[in-house]
RNA sequence: GGCGGAGUAGCUCAGCUGGUUAGAGCACCGGAAUCAUAAUCCGGGUGUCGGGAGUUCAAGUCUCUCCUCCGCUACCA
């Protein structure tokens, strides 16, 4: 296995306010990063902001401020949200930073030098009000005003030249576009001849962008600029080692709405520049808000961000990761959130911690008892715990996070049953050594479960591990230290009434 | 229109190359227990596996067809 794990989220467009979609992708990246870090890989996690383009320029004009000032006002909103969600990104890139402009210009020059950029006149229908070219169909729709025919010189990237190379790469690398149905979509799309990509905008029309290195009158098309962020952060072509170490990316996580730009534009750009393609582009689905549409009059509007204030970050992270089958859409409902929280987190997981620690405090002066010699039932718990770790690793490698989480919870349920079967609260009256062994095994199993869940819920599992005096991410059996003192803790996940 | 998904218990989903009485979690009903956040444990499913037809000793699993939903894509005269 490659020991370097480089993962990215899309860079989010500064005109959107941060919403559940942004939060979901970023939490997913964070969970994968933390998991890979836990199992000993070197990780680099990049997120950031896309700050160029027409909509930013317009929004700034409406507010009567400079576009850069507009971006500077928006950026903290995202950064603060990531802090609030306990996102452990290694870098936060903004496309208006000098480091990015430098790499974009280098990249454009390389592609130009390879002969893959040419000038051409484009003639088409242009909507002055919308400030963009529109198709004939759009013109007929009547939704656009001030339409005129416009002829404009622009620069084009020879995307079509790489069509065949891209198709064969997709076909020979099954994991390149995931999930599989997205791969099929792209292959279907590539059955048509690919057009070349217009990668410039004349400054007369739009000047909020990165100037082309070979023509001062033009700026770079925003997507061409934005995609390059993934290598900017690695200091591509800047004479450092960073790029060599981390590229190609393990995952570009994206929403399904930006699949074409990532699975077609970006790879052909890389092919032209002679750069390796990323290992995997993974498109996830969307969160839908309930079976019925949200409606203010029905009063069923939920802002998932508010849940964080009410119930904490970790339960929200848990819910999002547990509930979505990666690649499919999911429904977000308050009912399913509460159900999930109470049954998994409060009843099974949090309550198990309370059972174990209370018994140890009452009967062993708060000191973790000695495990002694295992009997069959104890050994079963140990063996299941050991196979759990490898199973979770396999499932996460296949991006089946919901199943990995379910398997961990299944294990927690098994431990609850083990407690019931062995009833240490009774046993302690007859055989204090045997009861101590049961509590050690249950505590150790709980510790193991918490370590495996820590990428999803870093904060609460930290409290648990600290209470058990075992703050580390070791998944091998026996890391609970006999005779060490338990620390007091509040109920880990108080039931929602 | 073309291509590709999907339709399995009330809900969310597993079911690999066809093979014992079709599974899990949650919800629901009954019981046990009382260490614990009234949490836990045990028991309980009469599900037309979207409809129909076919192949086979045997189909949720393969073939055909129809219905419904979704995604991508193309639009004729």
């Amino acid at each position: 296995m490659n020991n370097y794990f480089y993962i990215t989220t899309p860079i989010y467009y500064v005109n959107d306010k941060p919403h559940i979609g942004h939060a979901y992708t970023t939490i997913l990246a964070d969970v994968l990063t933390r998991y890979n870090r836990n199992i000993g890989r070197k990780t680099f996690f990049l997120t950031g902001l896309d700050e160029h383009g027409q909509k930013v320029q317009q929004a700034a004009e409406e507010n009567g401020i400079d576009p850069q000032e507009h971006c500077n006002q928006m950026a903290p909103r995202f950064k603060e949200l990531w802090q609030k969600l306990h996102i452990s990104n290694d870098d936060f890139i903004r496309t208006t930073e000098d480091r990015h402009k430098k790499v974009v210009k280098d990249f454009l020059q390389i592609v130009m030098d390879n002969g893959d950029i040419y000038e051409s006149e484009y003639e088409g229908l242009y909507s002055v009000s919308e400030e963009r070219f529109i198709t004939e169909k759009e013109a007929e729709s009547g939704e656009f005003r001030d339409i005129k025919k416009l002829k404009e010189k622009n620069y084009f990237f020879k995307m079509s030249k790489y069509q065949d190379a891209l198709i064969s790469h997709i076909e020979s690398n099954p994991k390149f576009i995931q999930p599989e149905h997205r791969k099929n979509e792209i292959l279907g799309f590539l059955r048509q001849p690919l057009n070349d990509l217009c990668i410039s905008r004349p400054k007369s029309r739009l000047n909020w962008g990165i100037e082309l290195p070979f023509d001062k009158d033009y700026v770079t098309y925003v997507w061409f600029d934005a995609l390059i962020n993934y290598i900017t952060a690695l200091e591509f072509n800047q004479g450092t080692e960073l790029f060599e170490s981390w590229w190609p990316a393990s995952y570009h996580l994206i929403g399904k709405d930006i699949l074409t730009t990532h699975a077609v534009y970006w790879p052909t750009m890389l092919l032209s520049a002679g750069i390796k393609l990323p290992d995997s582009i993974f498109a996830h689905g969307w969160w839908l808000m309930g079976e019925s549409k949200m409606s203010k009059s029905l009063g069923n509007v939920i802002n998932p961000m508010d849940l964080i204030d009410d119930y904490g970050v970790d339960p929200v992270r848990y819910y999002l990761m547990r509930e979505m089958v990666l690649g499919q859409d999911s429904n977000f409902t308050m009912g399913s959130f509460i159900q999930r929280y109470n049954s998994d987190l409060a009843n099974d997981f949090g309550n198990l911690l309370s059972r174990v620690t209370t018994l140890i405090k009452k009967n062993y002066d708060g000191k973790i008892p000695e495990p002694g010699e295992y009997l069959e039932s104890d050994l079963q718990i140990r063996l299941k715990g050991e196979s759990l770790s490898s199973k979770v690793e396999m499932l996460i490698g296949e991006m089946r996070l919901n199943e990995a989480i379910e398997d961990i919870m299944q294990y927690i349920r098994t431990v609850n049953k083990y407690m019931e079967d062995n009833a240490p609260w009774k046993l302690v009256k007859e055989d204090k050594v045997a009861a101590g062994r049961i509590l050690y095994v249950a505590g150790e199993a709980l510790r193991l479960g918490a370590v495996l869940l820590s990428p999803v819920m870093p904060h609460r599992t930290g409290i648990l591990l600290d209470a058990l005096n075992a703050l580390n991410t070791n998944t091998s059996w026996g890391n609970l230290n006999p005779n060490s003192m338990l620390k007091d803790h509040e109920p880990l996940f108080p039931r929602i009434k």
Side-chain angles (χ1 to χ4, degrees):
Chain A
M1 184 194 272
N2 184 351
N3 202 38
Y4 284 80
F5 182 84
Y6 174 40
I7 190 167
T8 68
T9 72
I11 45 174
Y12 305 115
Y13 205 55
V14 276
N15 268 30
D16 287 343
K17 274 181 261 176
H19 55 67
I20 184 75
H22 300 126
Y24 175 72
T25 316
T26 310
I27 290 170
L28 177 60
D30 188 56
V31 170
L32 291 168
T33 300
R34 287 176 187 270
Y35 184 76
N36 279 282
R37 200 186 291 149
N38 278 2
I39 63 174
R41 297 174 85 183
K42 294 186 166 134
T43 59
F44 192 105
F45 168 15
L46 176 69
T47 188
L49 296 176
D50 182 8
E51 303 190 333
H52 287 126
Q54 191 144 278
K55 285 180 186 157
V56 175
Q57 182 172 320
Q58 273 171 359
E61 275 166 14
E62 279 161 23
N63 295 327
I65 53 173
D66 173 81
Q68 185 66 63
E69 181 54 33
H70 173 81
C71 295
N72 293 346
Q73 286 175 12
M74 293 296 292
R77 292 202 195 189
F78 284 86
K79 284 190 165 177
E80 282 161 19
L81 179 60
W82 301 153
Q83 254 182 345
K84 198 168 168 183
L85 288 171
H86 299 160
I87 301 301
S88 62
N89 55 303
D90 296 288
D91 197 351
F92 185 90
I93 190 164
R94 298 177 53 188
T95 56
T96 52
E97 291 170 326
D98 286 340
R99 58 170 172 160
H100 182 64
K101 294 177 187 166
K102 177 80 172 59
V103 173
V104 169
K105 287 181 182 181
D106 286 3
F107 192 97
L108 279 163
Q109 194 60 56
I110 290 168
V111 174
M112 180 62 136
D113 292 345
N114 286 344
D116 287 340
I117 291 175
Y118 62 92
E119 284 179 50
S120 181
E121 294 261 328
Y122 181 77
E123 185 170 19
L125 296 171
Y126 185 79
S127 163
V128 179
S129 58
E130 281 289 307
E131 293 190 55
R132 72 175 180 92
F133 283 95
I134 57 176
T135 64
E136 290 198 15
K137 211 178 164 187
E138 284 177 319
E140 285 164 17
S141 73
E143 289 166 30
F144 297 88
R145 312 197 313 158
D146 302 324
I147 300 168
K148 62 181 179 188
K149 226 171 199 177
L150 193 74
K151 204 175 201 181
E152 191 173 277
K153 189 191 91 170
N154 266 309
Y155 290 88
F156 287 79
F157 165 55
K158 286 187 189 169
M159 201 155 70
S160 57
K161 179 176 163 186
Y162 297 97
Q163 179 161 10
D164 292 341
L166 177 58
I167 291 171
S168 73
H169 183 85
I170 294 170
E171 284 173 342
S172 51
N173 295 277
K175 299 259 174 182
F176 181 58
I177 301 171
Q178 296 189 76
E180 195 168 359
H181 66 275
R182 298 295 168 200
K183 178 183 87 176
N184 294 336
E185 258 177 46
I186 292 298
L187 284 173
F189 178 77
L190 288 171
R191 276 204 287 272
Q192 316 290 329
L194 205 50
N195 290 320
D196 288 341
L197 185 66
C198 178
I199 57 160
S200 67
R201 297 292 182 268
K203 282 190 183 172
S204 55
R205 194 147 71 67
L206 170 71
N207 63 36
W208 185 237
I210 297 174
E211 188 177 282
L212 295 182
F214 37 79
D215 193 331
K216 281 203 277 285
D217 295 330
Y218 289 83
V219 296
T220 311
Y221 170 48
V222 66
W223 265 111
F224 199 93
D225 148 11
L227 289 161
I228 291 171
N229 92 86
Y230 299 134
I231 59 173
T232 296
L234 302 183
E235 300 175 355
F236 169 71
N237 208 40
Q238 305 306 301
T240 68
E241 297 291 311
L242 219 50
F243 186 77
E244 290 303 317
S245 304
W246 295 99
W247 192 259
S250 309
Y251 284 109
H252 288 317
L253 296 181
I254 58 171
K256 62 182 182 179
D257 50 324
I258 52 175
L259 182 63
T260 308
T261 49
H262 283 77
V264 178
Y265 295 5
W266 180 228
T268 53
M269 287 164 64
L270 291 169
L271 285 169
S272 171
I275 300 172
K276 281 186 202 157
L277 303 192
D279 292 343
S280 187
I281 295 156
F282 195 103
H284 63 71
W286 286 338
W287 281 99
L288 309 174
M289 290 299 135
E291 304 84 33
S292 57
K293 276 185 185 169
M294 281 208 295
S295 144
K296 278 179 189 165
S297 58
L298 285 171
N300 63 348
V301 179
I302 302 161
N303 179 358
M305 296 303 124
D306 294 342
L307 294 177
I308 296 168
D309 295 329
D310 293 342
Y311 307 109
V313 181
D314 285 2
V316 174
R317 290 173 58 116
Y318 179 83
Y319 175 82
L320 294 178
M321 294 300 113
R322 172 62 186 80
E323 208 70 9
M324 185 175 270
V325 177
L326 260 166
Q328 298 179 22
D329 291 346
S330 288
N331 271 310
F332 190 109
T333 66
M334 200 54 202
S336 67
F337 174 80
I338 291 173
Q339 209 169 74
R340 205 39 100 179
Y341 177 103
N342 278 340
S343 73
D344 290 6
L345 299 179
N347 297 355
D348 290 341
F349 190 57
N351 184 48
L352 178 59
L353 175 67
S354 297
R355 312 176 78 169
V356 171
T357 55
T358 304
L359 284 165
I360 292 177
K361 280 176 197 160
K362 278 188 186 171
N363 299 294
Y364 299 87
D365 303 321
K367 283 194 334 206
I368 295 171
E370 293 280 353
E373 200 155 323
Y374 286 10
L375 300 184
E376 183 55 28
S377 62
D378 314 313
L379 211 54
Q380 282 304 317
I381 295 293
R382 174 179 175 160
L383 290 175
K384 279 183 187 164
E386 286 168 345
S387 64
L388 179 68
S389 304
S390 52
K391 184 156 187 209
V392 166
E393 181 168 347
M394 184 272 286
L395 288 171
I396 290 181
E398 293 180 3
M399 295 294 258
R400 291 154 67 188
L401 298 206
N402 60 318
E403 291 178 57
I405 293 169
E406 175 56 21
D407 277 9
I408 299 167
M409 290 315 302
Q410 196 71 255
Y411 183 59
I412 296 298
R413 286 181 210 114
T414 306
V415 180
N416 269 317
K417 179 174 161 52
Y418 166 82
M419 288 284 283
E420 213 67 32
D421 291 346
N422 292 286
W425 50 93
K426 276 188 201 161
L427 189 59
V428 72
K429 292 167 192 160
E430 307 145 21
D431 187 343
K432 201 168 176 183
V433 174
R437 183 186 73 242
I438 306 299
L439 291 173
Y440 179 89
V441 169
E444 171 62 8
L446 188 56
R447 183 197 68 80
L448 185 59
V451 170
L452 292 173
L453 282 172
S454 66
V456 179
M457 302 187 286
H459 181 63
R460 302 282 178 105
T461 56
I463 294 173
L464 185 154
L465 294 172
D466 186 44
L468 295 179
N469 218 331
L471 262 180
N472 62 68
T473 57
N474 202 323
T475 53
S476 58
W477 187 268
N479 270 271
L480 201 56
N481 294 317
N483 299 315
S484 74
M485 285 296 288
L486 292 181
K487 294 180 190 165
D488 289 336
H489 64 91
E490 298 292 309
L492 205 55
F493 297 100
R495 262 182 82 82
I496 302 173
K497 295 192 179 69

